[in-house]
Amino acid sequence: MPLRRGNSLLLAAALALIGAPLAVAPAAAQPDDVDPTTLVNPFVGTQNFGNTFPGASMPFGMVQVSPDTGGQGGYDYQQQEIHGFSQTHLSGVGCGVAGELPVMPTTGPVDNVDIAGYRSKYSHADEEARPGYYRVGLSRYGINAELTATPRTGWQRHAFPAGAQANVLFNTGKANQQVLDSEVHVIGDRTVEGRIKAGRFCAGRDEHTVYFTATFDRPFASFGTWRGTTRAPGVPDAAGQGGNGAWVTFDATSDRDVVLKVGISYTGIDGARKNLSAETGDSYDFDATKAAAHRAWVDRLNSIRIDGGAPERRVAFYTALYHSLLHPNLAGDVDGRYLGFDGEPHTAEGFTPYQNLSLWDTYRPQNQLLELLEPEVARDVALSVVASGRDGGWLPRWALANSETNIMTGDPVTPFLVEAWSKGLLAGHEEEAYELLKRNATTVPPADSPYNGRSGVEFYRDRGYIPSGLELGVDCAHKGGDNDCVHPASATLEYAAADASLAVMAEGLGKRDDARMFADRGQWYRNLWDAEIGHFRPRTAEGTWVTPYNPVDAGHQFHEGGAFQYQWLVPQDPNGLVDLMGGREAAERRLDAFFAYDELLADPAGTVREDWITQPYDYYGKPTYNPNNEPDLLAPYFYLSTRTPAKTATVVRAAMTLFTTGPDGMTGNDDLGTMSAWYVFSSLGLYPTMSGGDFLALSSPQFPGATVRTGQNTLTITAPGASDANRYVQEVSFDGRDLRKTWLDWDTVAGGGTVAHRLGATPSSWGTDPGSEPPSVSR
């Protein structure tokens, strides 16, 4: 592991898992020589709004070259036609995004430059994907298309049929989000270059520009460009708003395999050229590039080795691990230059810049998974967030490329950075990060800033909550996207959780007055607790409860959920929340109702699909757990605070049935690896419930064994006989020491060792003693 800040805030060690698998007898241990990429199905999540993509990328790469059929992720498994292979994709987003520069091979005359006119049917039977590689047959043209990638370049190899004119179309006017303007230039007889300016993610006001240079392994015979639907054969340039593009053609008698490599950059065309040159040189060896991508994925996926479990569950696990390692993405060029949030180029010193920061999602728990498995990447991501605040004048909430989208609400950047600080990943930048976080937590951005920030913070500071009924543009500044003042109840809870984590950082930096202030604010979740109805409830500016009130939808004053989903969003003080709910037995009954626990015991797979889930984007439909979305991801682990860890095991195992190996095998949007990271952690019997708390909650592992590479150390987890029936922890030890608590200090996990479990078919007394529950960081 990299530098840590020293003493852990929570000193203790306790480990244990709570057992439970799914429905088949465990298989033999996975041999050491098994290629983990063979256990990944990139098509998982491409149907039913999982919004993943099946194409080729490197871990955390700048390029994700993948087929485009439609849908929010760019590829919808149920669509039957491909209109191109674009260079950028985000996995599991909730709105259309990226998809810049779809490149399409065709045959015959180029007489139609509308995607509806040149797209091709394809068959899943003639399609394959694995980490770092994708292939498909384009039946309309008889073309076999293959894709692979380096960190900053996308590669395509197209095998054209003999006897027909071969074409490659570059559509700079089409993306999976709004294209604001573009330009394209044909240069010489092997190169096409240009840029695409795109933005308006989820109706925000963001924008960014992608520059590209594309070179072929052979000269083309002719070329042309287009604007709108007007073609211009032999004209090398097209630019402006509206659709632009270019095509190149190859002699029908030439070698039928054409290799194309595309370098991209966000700093300018010179950056794209440098990236292409540095990462590919003069080579057009597609197979060597594919092999290098394969080796990179083998190394990354081998960070966790699973023993036992049914084949389909190992596929579900390694697919989730794969999805967890796709984002964030490289932002800088090979020379360290990146485009800052001020729109100006900068050179990174001492870190590698990353972008695409879905912080509202990834701070729980994809960030922590990277800290555990990829601490150097996690460090660079954290320093990239600090750099975004330094360059742009404010910290982002949901950053796409080098601009803030203002999508989602609350204050996710605070727990994100505090979590990184607690692991020593901000070494040398602690004071700068803290000052950015404090400013963000106590003030609103300047009027000329494009950031919404904590738009309700002045009301929150004066009243201890954000009141209902505020008017955008009058009471709260609004710069596009989402706004805390529209969802005041959830924003209040998120502010309080963020403040509690910032108090931990302030205390660690010796800022005692700030620590007391933020710790007090970490208790302001209580200001929305209506004891008469036993729920969080929005209040008016005068302090009265909003009436009438239905906690199921709560008038949408909680963001993407109702009061039922948000009732557990107090990661900083689970024990205090249990007290508010009337004590452990009352909180346990509430959890039982929330998870439909009795039904879950009888029919776990059916209950999760009928009682928990309505539709992927229906966040307000039921008073039960919503595993499609982030606000209640930690809820299964709340049973630990009622000292009933056996129920966590049952609920987590039931939720895991939603992760399958088909294209619809993901619960909701993956949100840049967030849902997948939940599955990975839960499969190991570990879960980070509190950012900056420096501990992991414990439950039972899904597999009989796992070996986890934690930076430079190795954590071994054993659970012999783990099965659906044997899901309850009877005993657990760490390096031979008996553990009775239901949480474990982060340093112990990251430092390596052996966690050994004895599981059984019935609940035991493990984790039921007073003091065994995870701690409250803020009381």
Side-chain angles (χ1 to χ4, degrees):
M1 287 288 288
L3 295 171
R4 290 190 51 81
R5 61 182 166 84
N7 294 330
S8 173
L9 293 169
L10 300 164
L11 303 174
L15 182 54
L17 287 108
I18 302 172
L22 284 147
V24 279
Q30 178 176 309
D32 290 340
D33 60 352
V34 167
D35 181 344
T37 66
T38 65
L39 300 173
V40 174
N41 179 4
F43 292 106
V44 168
T46 58
Q47 183 177 319
N48 197 32
F49 298 100
N51 296 345
T52 59
F53 63 88
S57 68
M58 291 282 273
F60 315 110
M62 182 182 289
V63 168
Q64 309 84 30
V65 57
S66 187
D68 295 294
T69 67
Q72 292 168 326
Y75 178 94
D76 181 345
Y77 192 84
Q78 294 182 305
Q79 300 298 316
Q80 300 177 343
E81 295 179 313
I82 289 174
H83 65 253
F85 303 98
S86 60
Q87 314 309 301
T88 58
H89 294 80
L90 294 184
S91 182
V93 288
C95 299
V97 66
E100 285 101 351
L101 190 63
V103 175
M104 184 66 179
T106 69
T107 60
V110 181
D111 54 11
N112 193 320
V113 293
D114 186 285
I115 62 170
Y118 64 70
R119 61 193 177 193
S120 172
K121 288 188 178 297
Y122 72 104
S123 167
H124 295 306
D126 191 20
E127 184 183 37
E128 60 181 297
R130 56 184 179 268
Y133 176 74
Y134 172 88
R135 187 202 66 78
V136 69
L138 300 177
S139 58
R140 175 177 176 178
Y141 302 110
I143 295 171
N144 184 68
E146 297 175 274
L147 312 176
T148 191
T150 74
R152 297 173 179 84
T153 75
W155 287 57
Q156 303 184 29
R157 180 167 65 187
H158 302 303
F160 291 93
Q165 175 179 296
N167 317 301
V168 177
L169 281 64
F170 295 79
N171 195 330
T172 59
K174 171 65 178 177
N176 204 39
Q177 63 186 121
Q178 184 177 349
V179 175
L180 304 174
D181 67 55
S182 68
E183 61 182 275
V184 63
H185 309 283
V186 179
I187 300 171
D189 62 357
R190 289 178 183 246
T191 302
V192 179
E193 294 185 338
R195 65 170 180 83
I196 302 99
K197 183 178 182 180
R200 309 302 185 258
F201 173 59
C202 284
R205 299 178 186 173
D206 61 287
E207 57 185 49
H208 62 272
T209 301
V210 179
Y211 299 86
F212 72 91
T213 182
T215 65
F216 289 89
D217 66 338
R218 69 205 56 221
F220 38 80
S222 62
F223 62 85
T225 56
W226 74 81
R227 292 206 59 193
T229 59
T230 302
R231 294 175 296 116
V235 175
D237 308 295
Q241 297 179 342
N244 301 302
W247 75 85
V248 299
T249 70
F250 297 88
D251 191 337
T253 62
S254 67
D255 187 342
R256 307 315 294 168
D257 281 0
V258 174
V259 175
L260 162 68
K261 55 185 184 179
V262 182
I264 72 168
S265 171
Y266 292 82
T267 65
I269 193 64
D270 186 56
R273 293 167 182 160
K274 288 180 179 178
N275 292 340
L276 186 67
S277 175
E279 292 188 357
T280 73
D282 296 328
S283 173
Y284 288 89
D285 191 333
F286 184 94
D287 290 325
T289 304
K290 179 178 71 170
H294 174 256
R295 290 193 298 270
W297 276 112
V298 168
D299 178 66
R300 258 21 196 268
L301 293 170
N302 271 336
S303 62
I304 304 178
R305 301 286 295 181
I306 293 299
D307 291 334
E312 62 270 22
R313 295 188 184 174
R314 292 201 298 270
V315 169
F317 178 86
Y318 278 102
T319 300
L321 180 58
Y322 166 74
H323 283 139
S324 300
L325 302 177
L326 288 170
H327 306 294
N329 305 108
L330 289 170
D333 299 331
V334 291
D335 60 2
R337 282 169 55 85
Y338 70 95
L339 199 66
F341 279 62
D342 55 359
E344 298 296 326
H346 301 265
T347 300
E349 296 182 3
F351 73 102
T352 298
Y354 284 85
Q355 63 187 14
N356 300 332
L357 303 162
S358 174
L359 300 181
W360 189 84
D361 308 296
T362 58
Y363 92 84
R364 48 187 172 188
Q366 194 254 3
N367 182 34
Q368 291 89 337
L369 188 62
L370 295 191
E371 290 173 345
L372 187 67
L373 303 181
E374 302 279 352
E376 296 300 332
V377 173
R379 170 190 176 273
D380 288 345
V381 171
L383 292 180
S384 299
V385 175
V386 174
S388 72
R390 178 193 313 133
D391 300 337
W394 211 264
L395 289 168
R397 171 184 292 138
W398 208 123
L400 178 62
N402 64 305
S403 63
E404 167 66 309
T405 67
N406 286 319
I407 297 305
M408 306 313 297
T409 52
D411 182 15
V413 70
T414 294
F416 187 93
L417 283 181
V418 171
E419 171 66 22
W421 165 82
S422 75
K423 307 303 178 289
L425 304 181
L426 296 182
H429 300 268
E430 298 94 337
E431 292 293 337
E432 179 186 17
Y434 180 78
E435 290 305 316
L436 286 168
L437 289 169
K438 181 179 178 181
R439 181 171 58 178
N440 173 69
T442 55
T443 61
V444 294
D448 60 352
S449 168
Y451 295 78
N452 281 336
R454 282 199 189 191
S455 58
V457 73
E458 293 176 344
F459 296 95
Y460 174 78
R461 180 193 61 212
D462 295 340
R463 291 172 172 81
Y465 63 92
I466 307 171
S468 177
L470 298 176
E471 184 177 352
L472 297 186
V474 177
D475 300 307
C476 300
H478 185 52
K479 284 84 177 281
D482 296 310
N483 197 292
D484 297 339
C485 295
V486 175
H487 307 284
S490 57
T492 296
L493 297 180
E494 294 195 66
Y495 285 10
D499 285 341
S501 67
L502 193 52
V504 173
M505 185 175 183
E507 181 70 23
L509 295 178
K511 303 178 187 298
R512 301 295 176 81
D513 290 342
D514 283 0
R516 283 190 291 271
M517 173 189 69
F518 286 121
D520 288 344
R521 287 165 50 152
Q523 290 291 304
W524 284 359
Y525 71 91
R526 297 171 179 268
N527 294 335
L528 292 190
W529 183 260
D530 183 351
E532 288 192 11
I533 66 170
H535 270 294
F536 291 116
R537 183 175 184 176
R539 303 175 75 159
T540 67
E542 293 73 31
T544 60
W545 298 116
V546 167
T547 303
Y549 182 63
N550 178 359
V552 172
D553 61 34
H556 292 204
Q557 295 194 55
F558 296 85
H559 199 180
E560 295 189 355
F564 283 92
Q565 286 74 47
Y566 273 90
Q567 65 185 315
W568 312 107
L569 193 62
V570 187
Q572 72 274 26
D573 190 15
N575 298 316
L577 181 60
V578 165
D579 291 342
L580 274 185
M581 290 178 169
R584 300 191 189 284
E585 291 184 2
E588 180 186 354
R589 290 192 298 270
R590 184 185 290 259
L591 283 162
D592 288 348
F594 183 65
F595 289 111
Y597 191 78
D598 290 342
E599 294 87 343
L600 204 66
L601 284 174
D603 180 14
T607 301
V608 300
R609 287 165 174 79
E610 295 173 10
D611 290 82
W612 289 2
I613 292 177
T614 50
Q615 301 175 43
Y617 291 101
D618 187 355
Y619 304 120
Y620 303 97
K622 293 185 178 181
T624 49
Y625 183 48
N626 181 11
N628 282 347
N629 208 21
E630 280 75 15
D632 53 2
L633 277 184
L634 58 75
Y637 295 93
F638 232 96
Y639 272 120
L640 304 182
S641 296
T642 68
R643 301 182 197 142
T644 53
K647 292 185 174 181
T648 293
T650 296
V651 169
V652 168
R653 293 300 157 259
M656 285 179 173
T657 67
L658 295 168
F659 292 80
T660 66
T661 59
D664 61 348
M666 181 167 291
T667 170
N669 308 144
D670 198 29
D671 289 322
L672 280 69
T674 299
M675 297 300 183
S676 290
W678 181 95
Y679 185 82
V680 171
F681 263 126
S682 295
S683 294
L684 299 176
L686 304 169
Y687 194 77
T689 58
M690 171 58 189
S691 293
D694 252 6
F695 68 89
L696 293 162
L698 302 172
S699 184
S700 61
Q702 178 179 189
F703 298 101
T707 304
V708 184
R709 187 175 68 209
T710 62
Q712 301 302 313
N713 303 310
T714 300
L715 177 72
T716 300
I717 299 170
T718 64
S723 69
D724 281 349
N726 277 17
R727 67 172 178 267
Y728 302 114
V729 172
Q730 311 296 304
E731 294 177 349
V732 62
S733 64
F734 183 81
D735 282 352
R737 293 182 290 110
D738 185 51
L739 299 174
R740 300 299 300 170
K741 295 182 180 180
T742 56
W743 58 279
L744 186 66
D745 181 78
W746 178 280
D747 282 347
T748 302
V749 174
T754 298
V755 182
H757 307 80
R758 183 170 68 85
L759 304 181
T762 57
S764 72
S765 62
W766 178 82
T768 62
D769 296 333
S772 62
E773 67 275 3
S776 283
V777 172
S778 175
R779 290 304 301 266

